[in-house]
Amino acid sequence: MNDLTYMERAQFLVAVQAMGEGDEIPEASYQLLREIESETAAPWAQSDPFAAERYLAAKGATPKAAAANAAEFELSMRALYALATGARAQSFQDLADWIEKNVDGAQ
């Protein structure tokens, strides 16, 4: 566990952003958001706990692969969504729409 609070870590990343080499600051920001998201259940965790698994299966993953990768996929997408939008996803559909527009649809 890090002794700095999430806010202190985020403020540090903002302060040193111009000093970063390559992708080190964006990567540290992504890892911070992954950590934050991992400690908080998704808003849809109770109402739709298999949303990520269904999404991956619909995209062509085998049922076994979808089940094995759903949790990691959801956590990664929640962190990327938060980084990109500045807000937390309130539904899995928020993530799916963002992925369709910004990942699948990106050229």
Side-chain angles (χ1 to χ4, degrees), residues 26-27 31 33 52 55 73 88 92 98:
E27 177 63 22
Q31 292 302 330
L33 281 164
Y55 177 86
F73 170 77
R88 297 187 73 210
F92 190 85
W98 182 82

Side-chain angles (χ1 to χ4, degrees), residues 8-10 12 27-29 38 47-48 68 72 75 82-83 99 103 106-107:
E8 290 167 335
R9 290 168 63 192
F12 172 78
E27 177 63 22
S29 300
S38 73
S47 62
D48 196 6
E72 181 65 24
L75 178 60
L83 255 178
I99 292 167
V103 179
Q107 297 293 328

Side-chain angles (χ1 to χ4, degrees), residues 86-100:
R88 297 187 73 210
Q90 295 304 305
S91 69
F92 190 85
Q93 191 60 50
D94 289 344
L95 290 182
D97 292 344
W98 182 82
I99 292 167
E100 182 180 346

Side-chain angles (χ1 to χ4, degrees), residues 50-67 70 73 92-93 96 99-100 104:
F50 300 106
E53 194 172 328
R54 284 194 318 276
Y55 177 86
L56 291 173
K59 291 291 187 177
T62 65
K64 183 177 181 179
F73 170 77
F92 190 85
Q93 191 60 50
I99 292 167
E100 182 180 346
D104 294 345

